[in-house]
Amino acid sequence: MAAGLFITFEGGEGAGKSTQVRLLAERLRAHGTDVVITREPGGTPFAEQVRALILSPSVAEHTALSEALLFYAARADHIGKIIRPAMAAGRAVLCDRFSDSTRVYQSIAGGLDRKVFDALEQLVVADAKPELTIILDLDPSVGLARAEARRIDAASGEGNGERNVDSDGAGRDRYERQALAFHEKLRAGFLAIAAEEPDRCVVINANRDASQVAAEVWSVVDQHLQRRAG
Ligand code: Z5A
């Protein structure tokens, strides 16, 4: 895709993706960049409806292929209505999760055939690929503890409760309820993608203060923009 900038953030639960998307947006805006913050699954009314279905702990049993098709149905709407128009208008799109999450959750950890993933990716995403992907790497036990702390805050009324629509009575969505081994597999999956695509992906240690992580994110984005300009 030409024109704008498309950056995705990936990583396990509680790695700090939403936090870093917000901090990077603030920094880019301070430099005069027109930024769109979005997320997956989600980003459009239809995709948010799909999100509510997929993340619901009460969703009926279904196959890995059915799940992947739902993610790509949401993604097709998101790309068509938000990402492509924003890019065409020269805006910077910061997306909290994208296709790498499908590859890791549904394919590497979920068993979806890699060829099916590649075919869906080609059909739906085509050239709407991120030019830079920041993978926030964190020991899953730390990430899950952060997510748990946020749930306790939300339950006590200190959080914004934004994620409750996706979650069960305990506040955990379907993926957060999986065993630690599943989350270890996700971490390894993201690192494998980074090793396979070093030109697009940068791994950042997320086990630090959010401001330190944000400084490194900015440095990576700044270098990327300079390379792109020159
Ligand atoms: N999924 C999939 O299976 N296939 C797909 O194709 C896609 C998604 C696109 C989306 O849920 C779920 O969908 C996801 C994968 C699956 N699995 N789950 N669950 P989501 O987007 O709602 O959940 P998430 O991506 O895991 O987000 P998260 O739990 O909100 O984590 P985060 O965005 O990485 O972290 P955060 O919200 O910025 O921070 C979490 C808490 O930690 C919060 O209280 C922060 O204040 C705190 N925090 C943030 N940074 C720090 C640092 N550096 N130190 C200490 N504390 C911090």
Side-chain angles (χ1 to χ4, degrees):
M1 276 190 303
L5 176 68
F6 183 21
I7 300 178
T8 58
F9 283 74
E10 299 279 5
E13 325 294 316
K17 298 173 294 299
S18 312
T19 303
Q20 295 302 325
V21 163
R22 184 174 47 75
L23 293 173
L24 177 60
E26 281 172 11
R27 196 129 190 200
L28 285 168
R29 283 173 180 146
H31 283 74
T33 306
D34 185 4
V35 179
V36 176
I37 291 182
T38 189
R39 69 172 181 180
E40 288 213 346
T44 66
F46 171 76
E48 292 291 334
Q49 287 178 334
V50 175
R51 176 188 178 94
L53 171 69
I54 302 179
L55 298 190
S56 166
S58 58
V59 68
E61 276 297 307
H62 53 279
T63 65
L65 175 60
S66 310
E67 187 159 302
L69 289 169
L70 283 174
F71 276 110
Y72 276 98
R75 186 161 296 140
D77 202 54
H78 188 207
I79 290 172
K81 292 194 176 130
I82 301 292
I83 297 175
R84 281 192 189 279
M87 293 290 291
R91 306 176 77 188
V93 178
L94 306 184
C95 190
D96 188 342
R97 295 194 183 275
F98 194 64
S99 300
D100 293 319
S101 283
T102 317
R103 188 163 153 207
V104 168
Y105 281 76
Q106 280 67 52
S107 185
I108 296 173
L112 179 76
D113 191 312
R114 173 70 194 269
K115 289 196 188 102
V116 177
F117 168 81
D118 287 343
L120 289 171
E121 188 69 4
Q122 183 53 39
L123 178 72
V124 174
V125 175
D127 67 341
K129 293 186 191 308
E131 59 187 75
L132 176 64
T133 295
I134 291 172
I135 294 176
L136 296 177
D137 182 52
L138 185 65
D139 182 325
S141 58
V142 177
L144 290 168
R146 285 184 188 171
E148 189 68 31
R150 178 184 50 199
R151 264 190 297 279
I152 291 165
D153 282 354
S156 66
E158 287 173 34
N160 58 19
E162 200 184 294
R163 285 165 52 89
N164 288 355
V165 66
D166 303 330
S167 33
D168 63 4
R172 294 180 194 91
D173 71 32
R174 212 155 52 78
Y175 300 99
E176 288 170 338
R177 297 163 90 208
Q178 298 278 344
L180 191 60
F182 175 82
H183 294 279
E184 301 278 11
K185 212 169 185 177
L186 301 177
R187 183 187 196 186
F190 283 118
L191 294 177
I193 292 175
E196 204 176 289
E197 295 187 57
D199 290 344
R200 172 175 68 88
C201 302
V202 177
V203 178
I204 289 183
N205 170 15
N207 197 11
R208 292 175 289 171
D209 186 83
S211 61
Q212 289 176 293
V213 178
E216 191 172 342
V217 168
W218 177 249
S219 159
V220 165
V221 171
D222 193 36
Q223 280 171 36
H224 176 79
L225 292 175
Q226 284 180 31
R227 260 200 314 276
R228 205 182 184 236

